[in-house]
Amino acid sequence: MTPAAEVIARVHREEWARVVAGLARRHGDLDLAEETAAEAFAAAVERWPVDGVPPNPGAWITTTAHRKAIDRLRREARRDDKQQEALMLHDDSPAEPVGAVDDDRLRLVFTCCHPALSMEARVALTLRVVGGLTVAEIAHAFLVQETTMGQRISRAKAKIRAARIPYRVPDAEDLPARVDGVLAVLYLIFNEGYLASGEQSEPIRRDLTGEAIRLTRLVRDLLPAGSRERGEATGLLALMLLTEARAAARVSADGELVRLDEQDRGAWDRALIAEGTALVRERLDAVARGEGRPGRYEILAAINAVHVSAPHARDTDWSQIVALYGQLERIDPNPIVTLNKAIAVAEFDSPDVALAIVDRLSDRLGDYHALHTTRAELLRRLGRSSDARTAYDHAIALARNTAERAHLIRRRGQLAAPIEGETS
């Protein structure tokens, strides 16, 4: 990759959401914002290798995208209202107040998470517009076909346009109806960064995880102390911090994913662990005082707190983790929670019991690579090498993260050679 190409790739990772958010606020059109931002990056690909990288690449992209938006509206200004719209673009007066937080990306998150949209549409649209994920990556996260996801995102944009939904952080009384969707989106953006699904992506995208953490902090600060929504935002922030703390130990020098029990715990970020653990403790104290019951993110944060508090993997309190997953199943019954619980059950009880749980999930999670990874590891522990090999094959075929695939291929290669009569 040339130096100019490296800068363009970095600026795209760091500036895409900011550029799109600013254009959307200025022009009120998501399609226009996305398309002209893409045109600006295409212009950079053409010009920077020849003219040199500008001193402020992000500002260059923003200015170029804005000019392209103006040019496009001028070309389309054949009717009086379009002409007026084009003329307004030359208005240099200060922008109107846009809400309580001066952050374009957060405003765009709240716009995409408007209650007029279904929860799935909110999440998908935000991942596309704010997270910069491709339609294929989002489809993979939702376990649906790419065409289905593309149609879902297009319908969501059309609904925002038709309903004239404003680009602003909602008023305080409107926040509760938006926060659940916003937190769900931020958690998915974080997860995409922590185990990137794009085959051309870095295995871990710290730009996405860092942005998800930053936006979650802002959302938490918006919410009133003592509210259920602030409790969940606190839980999500704690969960992200405790997960991010392990990032440096998750991929080996050879580019292979490193399992939690094999990670160098000395490489974990102790400052993030201390902050995340303090937030978990804050929520536990609040629940003890009778301030509501713990929600999904608070329980997940507590599970992560148990993991990071163990000096060695062998010291993990699996009974507590199984109990927490049981609590989570009662408030959030979904097969992925049960799959994660099965992993804990294998440690606390036995691989046999865990495998029975996993096999009952096959109908619903047959296309989910983590199910086959879990089956492979359990079958391996039970000495069923041939079945484990088949399960690894399924997992490798479905996994899209390069580091995870490398890990699975190595694990499969470590199995005992097939005996005569077995298929490889």
Side-chain angles (χ1 to χ4, degrees), residues 291-310:
E291 296 180 11
R293 292 183 295 182
R296 174 175 182 244
Y297 301 120
E298 294 163 85
I299 296 172
L300 285 170
I303 290 169
N304 273 268
V306 174
H307 279 299
V308 299
S309 66

Side-chain angles (χ1 to χ4, degrees), residues 295-332:
R296 174 175 182 244
Y297 301 120
E298 294 163 85
I299 296 172
L300 285 170
I303 290 169
N304 273 268
V306 174
H307 279 299
V308 299
S309 66
H312 304 283
R314 62 178 178 274
D315 301 321
T316 304
D317 186 346
W318 289 107
S319 65
Q320 191 176 1
I321 292 177
V322 170
L324 286 166
Y325 271 121
Q327 191 177 353
L328 183 58
E329 276 185 317
R330 287 191 287 278
I331 66 168
D332 182 22

Side-chain angles (χ1 to χ4, degrees), residues 116-370:
L117 304 176
S118 70
M119 183 62 78
E120 284 191 342
R122 297 178 208 179
V123 175
L125 185 61
T126 313
L127 289 174
R128 175 73 191 98
V129 177
V130 182
L133 274 62
T134 65
V135 174
E137 289 170 340
I138 301 168
H140 180 73
F142 278 82
L143 305 179
V144 300
Q145 295 295 317
E146 187 173 340
T147 52
T148 302
M149 184 52 65
Q151 292 166 355
R152 187 177 298 171
I153 292 172
S154 295
R155 285 196 296 269
K157 287 180 180 176
K159 196 161 189 174
I160 285 178
R161 190 163 50 245
R164 297 181 181 278
I165 292 171
Y167 292 85
R168 64 174 177 80
V169 174
D171 297 329
E173 60 269 24
D174 299 324
L175 283 175
R178 306 270 190 105
V179 168
D180 285 349
V182 169
L183 296 183
V185 164
L186 295 179
Y187 187 36
L188 280 172
I189 291 175
F190 180 87
N191 281 337
E192 176 60 27
Y194 204 63
L195 192 66
S197 59
E199 296 189 11
Q200 304 302 319
S201 302
E202 293 293 320
I204 296 177
R205 292 187 55 184
R206 303 293 290 270
D207 57 319
L208 288 182
T209 58
E211 182 66 0
I213 290 172
R214 188 185 73 84
L215 291 173
T216 303
R217 288 187 193 279
L218 290 176
V219 172
R220 178 175 180 262
D221 290 344
L222 282 174
L223 300 168
S227 66
R228 179 194 67 84
E229 292 79 16
R230 185 179 172 95
E232 271 294 77
T234 301
L236 179 58
L237 179 58
L239 171 61
M240 289 179 178
L241 294 171
L242 294 172
T243 308
E244 181 78 347
R246 304 196 301 266
R250 288 193 74 233
V251 177
S252 71
D254 298 329
E256 182 182 324
L257 193 71
V258 181
R259 299 187 321 185
L260 177 61
D261 61 331
E262 296 176 337
Q263 290 176 11
D264 173 9
R265 297 185 177 220
W268 290 357
D269 188 322
R270 293 295 158 187
L272 292 181
I273 289 174
E275 184 182 0
T277 303
L279 291 173
V280 170
R281 198 172 297 119
E282 174 187 317
R283 289 306 306 151
L284 289 174
D285 291 345
V287 171
R289 291 195 302 270
E291 296 180 11
R293 292 183 295 182
R296 174 175 182 244
Y297 301 120
E298 294 163 85
I299 296 172
L300 285 170
I303 290 169
N304 273 268
V306 174
H307 279 299
V308 299
S309 66
H312 304 283
R314 62 178 178 274
D315 301 321
T316 304
D317 186 346
W318 289 107
S319 65
Q320 191 176 1
I321 292 177
V322 170
L324 286 166
Y325 271 121
Q327 191 177 353
L328 183 58
E329 276 185 317
R330 287 191 287 278
I331 66 168
D332 182 22
N334 78 65
I336 293 178
V337 171
T338 303
L339 178 64
N340 288 327
K341 178 185 174 183
I343 296 170
V345 167
E347 301 296 332
F348 177 62
D349 195 333
S350 74
D352 280 313
V353 175
L355 183 60
I357 296 172
V358 172
D359 283 344
R360 288 196 293 272
L361 301 172
S362 295
D363 289 344
R364 287 180 287 173
L365 296 179
D367 293 331
Y368 186 43
H369 77 279

Side-chain angles (χ1 to χ4, degrees), residues 23-102:
L23 291 166
R25 174 172 57 81
R26 184 69 185 268
H27 303 296
D29 187 323
L30 272 180
D31 283 330
L32 179 70
E34 279 196 284
E35 289 166 9
T36 52
E39 289 174 10
F41 277 102
V45 170
E46 182 178 338
R47 291 180 52 181
W48 291 4
V50 178
D51 300 341
V53 176
N56 188 335
W60 190 97
I61 292 290
T62 300
T63 301
T64 303
H66 181 58
R67 287 174 177 163
K68 288 182 177 295
I70 292 173
D71 290 344
R72 181 177 295 199
L73 287 173
R74 279 175 175 157
R75 289 196 299 273
E76 295 173 354
R78 297 190 177 92
R79 294 179 301 182
D80 290 344
D81 56 345
K82 285 291 185 182
Q83 186 68 44
Q84 182 62 31
E85 190 175 9
L87 290 172
M88 289 173 63
L89 294 175
H90 295 287
D91 183 3
D92 294 329
S93 60
E96 294 182 0
V98 287
V101 175
D102 184 20

